[in-house]
Amino acid sequence: MFDKGNHQNPLALVLGGGGAHAAYQVGFLRALAREFPDLEIPILTGVSAGAINAVYLANHTGSFKQAVDDLVAMWQGLTIDQIFRTETLSLLKNLLHWQLSLMSGGLIRSPTERGLVDSSPLHHLLQREFFRDGQMLAGIESKLQACRLKAVAVTATDYHSDRAVTWVQGKDVESWKRPHRFSIEAELSLEHVMASTALPLFFRAVQIGNQWYGDGGMRQTSPLAPALHLGAARILAISTRYERQLEKQSALIDTSQPQPAQIVGTLLGSIFLDLLVQDARNLERINQLVSKLPEAERDGLREVQLFLLQPSSNISELSGELRHHLPWMFNYLVRGLGTHKVVSPDWLSLVMFDANYLKRLMEIGEQDAKKSMAHVAELVAPD
């Protein structure tokens, strides 16, 4: 059994999705690593861009600080053309395929794996970053054998069954099956991570075996569930969703009707960003109920310590201020959705892999971490 150190009371790190917003998570981790350079996190779970960060940490065989420093370096070096192809010809070619398919009523069909953009650069980037000790993701198994890791889990959406599937690589873990979600024990691969990050329509779906998968946030109704199933007693969760105050709700410059960018941003936000916050509140209510029950009447339920971090400022709005840094053709095309008429372009912020934007998100994440460090310390390093 997994019993090293304080792992009888295992800590889990839960990283939500949000595309480029995941740079905020990296900023938080940078501050955490400075305070706890030798921290061991036995359970790591992630979805979408959060899956990249979770798998990166699980695969790194150095100390926590070394792993985070290298993760920071990767994000600091990111540019949008390392995530998807931004050349004019590539963007127009993909757009033309979709237009022809729509205008022909489906008689002219796009390849089933085609997205609005070509995400092959992200595949190449992760292939390089995840290659360790002579093979892909070898560090995960090494840390499992050394009892430095209990499990790492990555969630994607199965388009055929319309369910969330969580692939788990771990030691002494049990599978689970619930309505609309289930787990599979697997040796994680690059394709599992690519599947979890496959933003619907924007990136191509990913085939694993006979099934096609997309972004895990679409059907992951309980983002904390994988960590709970894997035995976490303490959960550190990082959301990338900014909670707007009612009096500060973003308004459109053109108030006649919502722009497509606003509608798409609202839809994607409700799918990929809101559920972690909602699930955290549900867990807090369950904790309150369980605490009132005698041990013999809890029916397997247990109290789980939770700390949820959210951005203190509107990181989506910041993307609007920096969109002029995007490649010209991509910026021109997204303007057609009305991104320039929206104060807080939530949709654009998800794909805003611009060095200036990512740097700012990491700074905000680090600042928020410092403000919350006393509470975080109580969770990750209890007396």
Side-chain angles (χ1 to χ4, degrees):
M1 293 292 290
F2 187 82
D3 58 0
K4 188 177 179 180
N6 196 33
H7 295 146
Q8 292 180 347
N9 188 31
L11 171 68
L13 177 64
V14 176
L15 300 175
H21 288 198
Y24 173 81
Q25 300 170 352
V26 178
F28 171 85
L29 292 170
R30 179 165 59 185
L32 182 64
R34 288 199 183 112
E35 292 291 326
F36 304 98
D38 298 315
L39 179 67
E40 294 282 0
I41 304 178
I43 300 171
L44 294 157
T45 76
V47 63
S48 193
I52 295 175
N53 291 337
V55 171
Y56 191 100
L57 294 176
N59 187 52
H60 200 292
T61 55
S63 69
F64 180 61
K65 187 175 187 308
Q66 289 170 337
V68 171
D69 285 346
D70 288 346
L71 180 62
V72 169
M74 183 188 80
W75 278 87
Q76 286 177 333
L78 279 183
T79 55
I80 195 168
D81 59 352
Q82 291 178 294
I83 306 301
F84 54 86
R85 295 182 62 182
T86 59
E87 311 95 295
T88 300
L89 182 60
S90 176
L91 291 172
L92 292 179
K93 181 180 178 181
N94 282 342
L95 184 62
L96 180 60
H97 273 282
W98 280 82
Q99 288 178 328
L100 288 175
S101 181
L102 289 171
M103 293 175 65
S104 68
L107 294 177
I108 301 176
R109 300 179 62 186
S110 302
T112 55
E113 73 276 9
R114 185 177 295 279
L116 285 172
V117 297
D118 180 353
S119 59
S120 59
L122 176 61
H123 189 281
H124 296 319
L125 170 70
L126 297 183
Q127 192 172 41
R128 182 180 69 250
E129 295 291 342
F130 289 165
F131 194 81
R132 185 171 292 276
D133 298 329
Q135 65 185 77
M136 192 64 61
L137 295 175
I140 294 177
E141 184 60 30
S142 173
K143 290 171 72 172
L144 287 170
Q145 294 302 319
C147 291
R148 294 182 57 199
L149 183 68
K150 179 178 181 180
V152 55
V154 171
T155 299
T157 299
D158 182 341
Y159 281 121
H160 293 290
S161 69
D162 193 29
R163 294 189 294 176
V165 53
T166 299
W167 294 292
V168 179
Q169 185 172 350
K171 194 172 185 180
D172 299 321
V173 298
E174 295 183 5
S175 299
W176 64 87
K177 187 175 182 180
R178 298 290 187 274
H180 308 299
R181 57 185 173 88
F182 64 99
S183 69
I184 298 176
E185 290 189 56
E187 183 176 345
L188 293 181
S189 69
L190 175 56
E191 295 309 307
H192 292 115
V193 180
M194 289 297 297
S196 184
T197 63
L199 193 66
L201 299 181
F202 197 74
F203 290 166
R204 72 177 184 89
V206 176
Q207 186 175 20
I208 299 176
N210 295 322
Q211 303 295 91
W212 288 89
Y213 298 92
D215 196 296
M218 288 187 285
R219 298 296 290 169
Q220 193 185 45
T221 55
S222 301
L224 298 176
L228 294 171
H229 284 299
L230 292 170
R234 298 171 291 147
I235 297 178
L236 175 59
I238 307 177
S239 169
T240 61
R241 179 64 155 177
Y242 169 68
E243 290 283 351
R244 293 188 180 95
Q245 300 299 317
L246 184 61
E247 66 274 11
K248 295 181 180 180
Q249 288 290 329
S250 295
L252 300 176
I253 295 173
D254 178 4
T255 58
S256 58
Q257 67 179 45
Q259 295 292 320
Q262 188 76 16
I263 297 171
V264 173
T266 299
L267 286 171
L268 292 180
S270 65
I271 295 171
F272 299 115
L273 303 179
D274 290 345
L275 293 178
L276 182 53
V277 177
Q278 176 182 321
D279 205 25
R281 290 171 180 165
N282 290 338
L283 179 59
E284 289 171 352
R285 285 193 288 268
I286 292 172
N287 279 337
Q288 291 173 0
L289 293 173
V290 171
S291 68
K292 297 176 182 179
L293 293 174
E295 190 74 34
E297 298 179 12
R298 293 185 177 184
D299 194 26
L301 294 176
R302 67 186 191 279
E303 290 186 70
V304 178
Q305 292 177 269
L306 170 70
F307 180 82
L308 173 69
L309 183 79
Q310 292 181 262
S312 59
S313 57
N314 191 340
I315 59 180
S316 294
E317 185 173 319
L318 180 62
S319 70
E321 299 171 10
L322 297 171
R323 59 174 169 250
H324 60 278
H325 290 289
L326 292 170
W328 179 84
M329 178 52 70
F330 181 74
N331 203 358
Y332 175 79
L333 292 175
V334 298
R335 278 175 62 89
L337 295 175
T339 55
H340 61 300
K341 295 184 178 181
V342 178
V343 175
S344 180
D346 294 347
W347 176 83
L348 180 63
S349 70
L350 297 179
V351 295
M352 186 77 177
F353 291 93
D354 169 74
N356 299 283
Y357 182 57
L358 300 179
K359 178 183 178 182
R360 186 69 187 111
L361 293 196
M362 283 189 277
E363 291 172 349
I364 295 171
E366 190 168 9
Q367 292 165 6
D368 289 350
K370 291 177 180 178
K371 295 175 184 176
S372 307
M373 194 55 68
H375 298 291
V376 173
E378 291 178 6
L379 181 76
V380 303
D383 294 334

